[in-house]
Amino acid sequence: MTDLCKGRVVVVTGAGRGIGRAHALAFAAEGASVVVNDVGVAIDGSNASAGPAQDVVDEIVAMGGRAVANTDDVADWAGAGRLIDTALSEFGSLDVLVNNAGFLRDRMLANLAEDEWDAVIRVHLKGHFAPLRHAVAYWRAEHKAGRAVNARIVNTSSGAGLQGSVGQGNYAAAKAGIAGLTLVAASEFASYGVTVNAIAPAARTRMTENAFAEDMAAPADGFDAMAPENISPLVVWLGSTQSAAVTGRVFEVEGGVIGVAQGWRHGPSVDNGSRWEPSHVGAAVEKLLASAETPVPVYGAR
């Protein structure tokens, strides 16, 4: 290891299992002090437990690192505040926030219940905003006090948010919102010394084992392209001081592949010079679509 994040204080949400756990261990291996946040729920958000967060803390301490557990609900305003306060009270500062927590309640939109929509939007989208908001309040105060800030936020979107995913309308909407939130936060926080980026990862986790069952099995030997640990090197680098010039980006990462997602942008257009007649719109749209790029298919579409 290279001590890439030596002396930095990192909060990782949803860090008790899967990708979040891999992030927490990877940051600790690079010298960071880590707040391991996890409410310890099942994949659908039920049955909270402090066990997963503490287990990861114990792993970090056993390897000679510094870590503390936090079991606050990141989508609860006061809980998100306590999470950030944990970093400040335990380690004296905060340098990196990795928003990773989430769960699934998959269902086709025609069958999706209101509470299933609300729960997923809450944990993913508000669960990103609330910690982000409390963290930037600290960094803005530091900046205004004349103290140098070299802080990082890494959000977690998804291919479902970038392309859509059949049977995951609530999850896809939340993850698309996270990508948009990332762009706005990157612009607004730049003057405080804070960069904001997002990842869209693909790896073997509790949340993906049903959607990508045929790809989930670990190989008997060789490189395991679906291991959660493959995602963390990019996140650790984004959390380091080396990434200061990178902000407002969404990175796709899977196995040994890192890519930059290119999202919504202005495409072909036509100016009528005056208000359109409805009967003339169809021909114009046909010409626009003929010259536009073909959309990437929605995951699971037939």
Side-chain angles (χ1 to χ4, degrees), residues 136-192:
V136 81
Y138 164 70
W139 290 322
R140 182 174 60 179
E142 290 291 287
H143 174 75
K144 288 184 175 181
R147 290 183 283 272
V149 176
N150 199 356
R152 308 283 181 266
I153 297 173
V154 183
N155 293 328
T156 306
S157 183
S158 168
L162 304 182
Q163 297 170 216
S165 180
V166 172
Q168 293 189 307
N170 48 4
Y171 178 74
K175 290 303 192 182
I178 288 167
L181 175 67
T182 298
L183 303 183
V184 175
S187 180
E188 292 185 356
F189 299 170
S191 62
Y192 306 139

Short mmCIF file of all heavy atoms in Angstrom, two decimals, residues 136-192:
data_model
loop_
_atom_site.label_atom_id
_atom_site.label_comp_id
_atom_site.label_asym_id
_atom_site.label_seq_id
_atom_site.Cartn_x
_atom_site.Cartn_y
_atom_site.Cartn_z
N VAL A 136 -20.94 19.51 3.97
CA VAL A 136 -20.53 20.77 3.33
C VAL A 136 -20.71 21.95 4.27
O VAL A 136 -20.00 22.95 4.16
CB VAL A 136 -21.28 20.98 2.00
CG1 VAL A 136 -22.68 21.54 2.21
CG2 VAL A 136 -20.47 21.91 1.08
N ALA A 137 -21.62 21.84 5.23
CA ALA A 137 -21.75 22.90 6.22
C ALA A 137 -20.45 23.03 7.02
O ALA A 137 -19.99 24.15 7.31
CB ALA A 137 -22.93 22.62 7.15
N TYR A 138 -19.86 21.88 7.37
CA TYR A 138 -18.58 21.89 8.08
C TYR A 138 -17.48 22.47 7.20
O TYR A 138 -16.70 23.33 7.62
CB TYR A 138 -18.22 20.47 8.52
CG TYR A 138 -16.78 20.30 8.91
CD1 TYR A 138 -16.26 20.87 10.07
CD2 TYR A 138 -15.91 19.57 8.09
CE1 TYR A 138 -14.92 20.72 10.41
CE2 TYR A 138 -14.58 19.41 8.43
CZ TYR A 138 -14.09 19.99 9.59
OH TYR A 138 -12.76 19.84 9.92
N TRP A 139 -17.39 22.01 5.94
CA TRP A 139 -16.33 22.48 5.05
C TRP A 139 -16.48 23.96 4.71
O TRP A 139 -15.49 24.68 4.61
CB TRP A 139 -16.31 21.63 3.79
CG TRP A 139 -15.82 20.24 4.03
CD1 TRP A 139 -14.82 19.85 4.87
CD2 TRP A 139 -16.32 19.04 3.44
NE1 TRP A 139 -14.65 18.50 4.85
CE2 TRP A 139 -15.56 17.96 3.97
CE3 TRP A 139 -17.32 18.77 2.51
CZ2 TRP A 139 -15.79 16.64 3.59
CZ3 TRP A 139 -17.55 17.45 2.13
CH2 TRP A 139 -16.79 16.41 2.66
N ARG A 140 -17.69 24.42 4.55
CA ARG A 140 -17.90 25.84 4.26
C ARG A 140 -17.46 26.69 5.44
O ARG A 140 -16.83 27.74 5.26
CB ARG A 140 -19.38 26.10 3.94
CG ARG A 140 -19.67 27.55 3.57
CD ARG A 140 -21.10 27.73 3.12
NE ARG A 140 -22.05 27.34 4.13
CZ ARG A 140 -23.38 27.41 3.97
NH1 ARG A 140 -23.88 27.83 2.82
NH2 ARG A 140 -24.19 27.04 4.94
N ALA A 141 -17.77 26.24 6.66
CA ALA A 141 -17.34 26.96 7.85
C ALA A 141 -15.82 27.00 7.95
O ALA A 141 -15.22 28.02 8.31
CB ALA A 141 -17.94 26.33 9.10
N GLU A 142 -15.18 25.88 7.63
CA GLU A 142 -13.72 25.84 7.63
C GLU A 142 -13.15 26.82 6.60
O GLU A 142 -12.19 27.54 6.88
CB GLU A 142 -13.23 24.41 7.32
CG GLU A 142 -13.49 23.41 8.42
CD GLU A 142 -12.63 23.67 9.64
OE1 GLU A 142 -11.41 23.42 9.58
OE2 GLU A 142 -13.18 24.17 10.64
N HIS A 143 -13.74 26.83 5.42
CA HIS A 143 -13.29 27.74 4.36
C HIS A 143 -13.45 29.19 4.78
O HIS A 143 -12.54 30.02 4.59
CB HIS A 143 -14.08 27.46 3.08
CG HIS A 143 -13.81 28.41 1.97
ND1 HIS A 143 -12.66 28.38 1.22
CD2 HIS A 143 -14.55 29.46 1.49
CE1 HIS A 143 -12.69 29.34 0.32
NE2 HIS A 143 -13.82 30.01 0.46
N LYS A 144 -14.59 29.52 5.36
CA LYS A 144 -14.84 30.90 5.78
C LYS A 144 -13.91 31.33 6.91
O LYS A 144 -13.61 32.52 7.04
CB LYS A 144 -16.30 31.05 6.21
CG LYS A 144 -17.28 31.02 5.03
CD LYS A 144 -18.70 31.28 5.49
CE LYS A 144 -19.65 31.37 4.30
NZ LYS A 144 -21.04 31.63 4.70
N ALA A 145 -13.46 30.35 7.71
CA ALA A 145 -12.53 30.64 8.80
C ALA A 145 -11.09 30.77 8.32
O ALA A 145 -10.19 31.03 9.12
CB ALA A 145 -12.62 29.55 9.86
N GLY A 146 -10.89 30.60 7.02
CA GLY A 146 -9.55 30.76 6.45
C GLY A 146 -8.69 29.53 6.50
O GLY A 146 -7.48 29.59 6.21
N ARG A 147 -9.30 28.37 6.84
CA ARG A 147 -8.54 27.12 6.88
C ARG A 147 -8.67 26.39 5.54
O ARG A 147 -9.76 26.34 4.97
CB ARG A 147 -9.02 26.24 8.04
CG ARG A 147 -8.65 26.80 9.41
CD ARG A 147 -9.07 25.87 10.53
NE ARG A 147 -10.49 25.96 10.81
CZ ARG A 147 -11.05 26.83 11.65
NH1 ARG A 147 -10.29 27.72 12.29
NH2 ARG A 147 -12.36 26.83 11.86
N ALA A 148 -7.57 25.85 5.07
CA ALA A 148 -7.56 25.18 3.76
C ALA A 148 -8.44 23.93 3.79
O ALA A 148 -8.37 23.13 4.72
CB ALA A 148 -6.14 24.81 3.37
N VAL A 149 -9.25 23.77 2.76
CA VAL A 149 -10.12 22.60 2.61
C VAL A 149 -9.72 21.86 1.34
O VAL A 149 -9.60 22.47 0.27
CB VAL A 149 -11.60 23.02 2.54
CG1 VAL A 149 -12.49 21.80 2.28
CG2 VAL A 149 -12.03 23.73 3.82
N ASN A 150 -9.51 20.56 1.46
CA ASN A 150 -9.18 19.72 0.31
C ASN A 150 -10.03 18.47 0.42
O ASN A 150 -9.53 17.36 0.63
CB ASN A 150 -7.68 19.38 0.31
CG ASN A 150 -7.18 18.92 -1.05
OD1 ASN A 150 -7.96 18.78 -1.99
ND2 ASN A 150 -5.89 18.66 -1.14
N ALA A 151 -11.34 18.66 0.29
CA ALA A 151 -12.32 17.64 0.64
C ALA A 151 -12.91 16.98 -0.59
O ALA A 151 -12.87 17.51 -1.70
CB ALA A 151 -13.42 18.24 1.50
N ARG A 152 -13.51 15.81 -0.36
CA ARG A 152 -14.04 15.01 -1.44
C ARG A 152 -15.40 14.41 -1.06
O ARG A 152 -15.60 13.97 0.07
CB ARG A 152 -13.11 13.83 -1.77
CG ARG A 152 -11.67 14.23 -2.01
CD ARG A 152 -11.49 14.83 -3.39
NE ARG A 152 -10.11 15.19 -3.65
CZ ARG A 152 -9.60 16.41 -3.44
NH1 ARG A 152 -10.38 17.39 -2.98
NH2 ARG A 152 -8.33 16.67 -3.70
N ILE A 153 -16.30 14.39 -2.03
CA ILE A 153 -17.54 13.62 -1.92
C ILE A 153 -17.57 12.66 -3.10
O ILE A 153 -17.35 13.06 -4.24
CB ILE A 153 -18.79 14.52 -1.93
CG1 ILE A 153 -18.80 15.47 -0.73
CG2 ILE A 153 -20.06 13.66 -1.94
CD1 ILE A 153 -19.91 16.50 -0.76
N VAL A 154 -17.83 11.39 -2.80
CA VAL A 154 -18.02 10.39 -3.85
C VAL A 154 -19.40 9.78 -3.67
O VAL A 154 -19.68 9.14 -2.64
CB VAL A 154 -16.94 9.29 -3.80
CG1 VAL A 154 -17.14 8.31 -4.96
CG2 VAL A 154 -15.54 9.90 -3.84
N ASN A 155 -20.28 10.01 -4.63
CA ASN A 155 -21.63 9.48 -4.58
C ASN A 155 -21.72 8.18 -5.36
O ASN A 155 -20.85 7.87 -6.19
CB ASN A 155 -22.61 10.50 -5.18
CG ASN A 155 -22.73 11.75 -4.32
OD1 ASN A 155 -22.60 11.68 -3.10
ND2 ASN A 155 -22.97 12.88 -4.96
N THR A 156 -22.78 7.42 -5.12
CA THR A 156 -22.96 6.14 -5.79
C THR A 156 -24.23 6.15 -6.61
O THR A 156 -25.34 6.08 -6.08
CB THR A 156 -22.99 4.98 -4.78
OG1 THR A 156 -21.81 5.04 -3.96
CG2 THR A 156 -23.03 3.65 -5.51
N SER A 157 -24.07 6.28 -7.92
CA SER A 157 -25.19 6.13 -8.85
C SER A 157 -25.23 4.67 -9.30
O SER A 157 -24.86 3.77 -8.55
CB SER A 157 -25.02 7.10 -10.02
OG SER A 157 -26.12 7.04 -10.90
N SER A 158 -25.63 4.42 -10.51
CA SER A 158 -25.76 3.05 -11.01
C SER A 158 -26.01 3.09 -12.50
O SER A 158 -26.52 4.08 -13.04
CB SER A 158 -26.94 2.36 -10.31
OG SER A 158 -27.28 1.14 -10.93
N GLY A 159 -25.68 1.98 -13.16
CA GLY A 159 -26.08 1.86 -14.56
C GLY A 159 -27.58 1.99 -14.72
O GLY A 159 -28.07 2.47 -15.74
N ALA A 160 -28.32 1.57 -13.69
CA ALA A 160 -29.78 1.72 -13.73
C ALA A 160 -30.19 3.18 -13.77
O ALA A 160 -31.18 3.54 -14.40
CB ALA A 160 -30.40 1.04 -12.50
N GLY A 161 -29.41 4.03 -13.10
CA GLY A 161 -29.70 5.45 -13.13
C GLY A 161 -29.29 6.12 -14.42
O GLY A 161 -29.89 7.12 -14.84
N LEU A 162 -28.27 5.58 -15.08
CA LEU A 162 -27.78 6.16 -16.32
C LEU A 162 -28.55 5.66 -17.53
O LEU A 162 -28.72 6.38 -18.51
CB LEU A 162 -26.29 5.82 -16.50
CG LEU A 162 -25.35 6.23 -15.36
CD1 LEU A 162 -23.92 5.85 -15.70
CD2 LEU A 162 -25.47 7.71 -15.05
N GLN A 163 -29.04 4.42 -17.48
CA GLN A 163 -29.69 3.80 -18.63
C GLN A 163 -31.11 3.32 -18.36
O GLN A 163 -31.84 2.99 -19.30
CB GLN A 163 -28.86 2.61 -19.12
CG GLN A 163 -27.49 2.99 -19.61
CD GLN A 163 -26.61 1.79 -19.85
OE1 GLN A 163 -25.42 1.82 -19.62
NE2 GLN A 163 -27.18 0.70 -20.33
N GLY A 164 -31.51 3.24 -17.09
CA GLY A 164 -32.78 2.63 -16.74
C GLY A 164 -32.64 1.14 -16.54
O GLY A 164 -31.69 0.52 -17.01
N SER A 165 -33.59 0.54 -15.82
CA SER A 165 -33.55 -0.89 -15.55
C SER A 165 -34.97 -1.39 -15.33
O SER A 165 -35.66 -0.92 -14.42
CB SER A 165 -32.69 -1.18 -14.31
OG SER A 165 -32.64 -2.56 -14.04
N VAL A 166 -35.40 -2.31 -16.16
CA VAL A 166 -36.75 -2.86 -16.07
C VAL A 166 -36.96 -3.50 -14.70
O VAL A 166 -36.11 -4.25 -14.21
CB VAL A 166 -36.99 -3.89 -17.19
CG1 VAL A 166 -38.32 -4.61 -16.98
CG2 VAL A 166 -36.96 -3.20 -18.54
N GLY A 167 -38.08 -3.18 -14.07
CA GLY A 167 -38.39 -3.72 -12.75
C GLY A 167 -37.77 -2.96 -11.61
O GLY A 167 -37.93 -3.32 -10.44
N GLN A 168 -37.07 -1.84 -11.93
CA GLN A 168 -36.40 -1.04 -10.89
C GLN A 168 -36.67 0.45 -11.10
O GLN A 168 -35.77 1.27 -10.99
CB GLN A 168 -34.90 -1.30 -10.92
CG GLN A 168 -34.49 -2.71 -10.52
CD GLN A 168 -32.98 -2.84 -10.36
OE1 GLN A 168 -32.22 -2.51 -11.26
NE2 GLN A 168 -32.56 -3.33 -9.19
N GLY A 169 -37.90 0.79 -11.38
CA GLY A 169 -38.23 2.19 -11.64
C GLY A 169 -37.90 3.11 -10.49
O GLY A 169 -37.39 4.23 -10.70
N ASN A 170 -38.16 2.66 -9.26
CA ASN A 170 -37.86 3.50 -8.08
C ASN A 170 -36.35 3.66 -7.91
O ASN A 170 -35.84 4.77 -7.69
CB ASN A 170 -38.51 2.92 -6.82
CG ASN A 170 -38.26 1.42 -6.65
OD1 ASN A 170 -37.54 0.77 -7.43
ND2 ASN A 170 -38.87 0.83 -5.63
N TYR A 171 -35.62 2.56 -8.04
CA TYR A 171 -34.17 2.58 -7.90
C TYR A 171 -33.52 3.39 -9.02
O TYR A 171 -32.62 4.21 -8.78
CB TYR A 171 -33.67 1.13 -7.90
CG TYR A 171 -32.18 0.95 -7.82
CD1 TYR A 171 -31.50 1.16 -6.63
CD2 TYR A 171 -31.46 0.52 -8.94
CE1 TYR A 171 -30.12 0.96 -6.55
CE2 TYR A 171 -30.09 0.32 -8.86
CZ TYR A 171 -29.43 0.54 -7.66
OH TYR A 171 -28.07 0.34 -7.60
N ALA A 172 -33.97 3.19 -10.26
CA ALA A 172 -33.41 3.92 -11.39
C ALA A 172 -33.64 5.41 -11.25
O ALA A 172 -32.75 6.22 -11.54
CB ALA A 172 -34.01 3.40 -12.70
N ALA A 173 -34.83 5.81 -10.81
CA ALA A 173 -35.12 7.23 -10.62
C ALA A 173 -34.24 7.84 -9.55
O ALA A 173 -33.72 8.95 -9.70
CB ALA A 173 -36.59 7.41 -10.26
N ALA A 174 -34.03 7.11 -8.45
CA ALA A 174 -33.18 7.61 -7.37
C ALA A 174 -31.73 7.75 -7.84
O ALA A 174 -31.06 8.75 -7.55
CB ALA A 174 -33.26 6.68 -6.17
N LYS A 175 -31.24 6.74 -8.55
CA LYS A 175 -29.85 6.77 -9.00
C LYS A 175 -29.62 7.83 -10.07
O LYS A 175 -28.54 8.42 -10.15
CB LYS A 175 -29.44 5.39 -9.50
CG LYS A 175 -29.32 4.35 -8.39
CD LYS A 175 -28.34 4.77 -7.31
CE LYS A 175 -28.00 3.64 -6.36
NZ LYS A 175 -27.08 4.08 -5.27
N ALA A 176 -30.62 8.07 -10.92
CA ALA A 176 -30.52 9.17 -11.88
C ALA A 176 -30.48 10.50 -11.14
O ALA A 176 -29.73 11.42 -11.51
CB ALA A 176 -31.69 9.14 -12.86
N GLY A 177 -31.28 10.62 -10.09
CA GLY A 177 -31.26 11.82 -9.27
C GLY A 177 -29.92 12.06 -8.62
O GLY A 177 -29.46 13.21 -8.50
N ILE A 178 -29.26 10.99 -8.21
CA ILE A 178 -27.93 11.11 -7.60
C ILE A 178 -26.92 11.64 -8.60
O ILE A 178 -26.06 12.46 -8.27
CB ILE A 178 -27.49 9.76 -7.02
CG1 ILE A 178 -28.31 9.44 -5.76
CG2 ILE A 178 -26.00 9.73 -6.70
CD1 ILE A 178 -28.21 8.01 -5.29
N ALA A 179 -27.00 11.19 -9.85
CA ALA A 179 -26.11 11.70 -10.89
C ALA A 179 -26.32 13.20 -11.07
O ALA A 179 -25.36 13.98 -11.16
CB ALA A 179 -26.33 10.96 -12.20
N GLY A 180 -27.58 13.63 -11.12
CA GLY A 180 -27.87 15.05 -11.25
C GLY A 180 -27.42 15.84 -10.04
O GLY A 180 -26.86 16.94 -10.16
N LEU A 181 -27.64 15.30 -8.85
CA LEU A 181 -27.20 15.94 -7.61
C LEU A 181 -25.69 16.13 -7.61
O LEU A 181 -25.17 17.17 -7.17
CB LEU A 181 -27.62 15.08 -6.42
CG LEU A 181 -27.15 15.52 -5.03
CD1 LEU A 181 -27.82 16.84 -4.64
CD2 LEU A 181 -27.47 14.44 -4.00
N THR A 182 -24.98 15.15 -8.11
CA THR A 182 -23.51 15.22 -8.18
C THR A 182 -23.06 16.41 -9.01
O THR A 182 -22.14 17.15 -8.62
CB THR A 182 -22.95 13.91 -8.76
OG1 THR A 182 -23.29 12.83 -7.89
CG2 THR A 182 -21.44 13.97 -8.92
N LEU A 183 -23.67 16.62 -10.17
CA LEU A 183 -23.28 17.72 -11.04
C LEU A 183 -23.52 19.07 -10.37
O LEU A 183 -22.67 19.97 -10.44
CB LEU A 183 -24.06 17.65 -12.35
CG LEU A 183 -23.93 16.35 -13.16
CD1 LEU A 183 -24.70 16.47 -14.47
CD2 LEU A 183 -22.48 16.00 -13.42
N VAL A 184 -24.67 19.22 -9.73
CA VAL A 184 -24.99 20.49 -9.08
C VAL A 184 -24.05 20.74 -7.89
O VAL A 184 -23.51 21.84 -7.73
CB VAL A 184 -26.45 20.51 -8.62
CG1 VAL A 184 -26.76 21.77 -7.83
CG2 VAL A 184 -27.39 20.40 -9.82
N ALA A 185 -23.85 19.72 -7.08
CA ALA A 185 -22.99 19.88 -5.91
C ALA A 185 -21.56 20.20 -6.32
O ALA A 185 -20.88 21.02 -5.68
CB ALA A 185 -23.02 18.61 -5.06
N ALA A 186 -21.07 19.58 -7.39
CA ALA A 186 -19.71 19.87 -7.85
C ALA A 186 -19.56 21.33 -8.21
O ALA A 186 -18.54 21.96 -7.90
CB ALA A 186 -19.37 18.99 -9.06
N SER A 187 -20.57 21.89 -8.85
CA SER A 187 -20.51 23.30 -9.23
C SER A 187 -20.61 24.21 -8.02
O SER A 187 -19.87 25.18 -7.89
CB SER A 187 -21.64 23.59 -10.22
OG SER A 187 -21.62 24.94 -10.62
N GLU A 188 -21.51 23.89 -7.11
CA GLU A 188 -21.76 24.76 -5.96
C GLU A 188 -20.66 24.70 -4.90
O GLU A 188 -20.41 25.69 -4.21
CB GLU A 188 -23.10 24.40 -5.32
CG GLU A 188 -24.30 24.73 -6.19
CD GLU A 188 -25.62 24.49 -5.49
OE1 GLU A 188 -25.63 23.98 -4.34
OE2 GLU A 188 -26.66 24.81 -6.10
N PHE A 189 -19.99 23.56 -4.78
CA PHE A 189 -19.02 23.38 -3.69
C PHE A 189 -17.59 23.69 -4.09
O PHE A 189 -16.69 23.68 -3.25
CB PHE A 189 -19.08 21.94 -3.15
CG PHE A 189 -20.41 21.53 -2.57
CD1 PHE A 189 -20.64 20.21 -2.23
CD2 PHE A 189 -21.43 22.45 -2.37
CE1 PHE A 189 -21.86 19.81 -1.70
CE2 PHE A 189 -22.66 22.06 -1.84
CZ PHE A 189 -22.87 20.73 -1.51
N ALA A 190 -17.36 23.94 -5.37
CA ALA A 190 -15.98 24.14 -5.84
C ALA A 190 -15.27 25.26 -5.11
O ALA A 190 -14.08 25.15 -4.79
CB ALA A 190 -15.99 24.41 -7.35
N SER A 191 -15.97 26.34 -4.81
CA SER A 191 -15.33 27.49 -4.18
C SER A 191 -14.92 27.21 -2.74
O SER A 191 -14.13 27.95 -2.16
CB SER A 191 -16.27 28.70 -4.21
OG SER A 191 -17.45 28.45 -3.48
N TYR A 192 -15.44 26.13 -2.15
CA TYR A 192 -15.08 25.77 -0.77
C TYR A 192 -13.89 24.81 -0.72
O TYR A 192 -13.42 24.45 0.37
CB TYR A 192 -16.26 25.11 -0.05
CG TYR A 192 -17.54 25.89 -0.07
CD1 TYR A 192 -18.76 25.25 -0.27
CD2 TYR A 192 -17.54 27.27 0.12
CE1 TYR A 192 -19.94 25.96 -0.29
CE2 TYR A 192 -18.73 27.99 0.10
CZ TYR A 192 -19.92 27.33 -0.11
OH TYR A 192 -21.11 28.04 -0.13
#
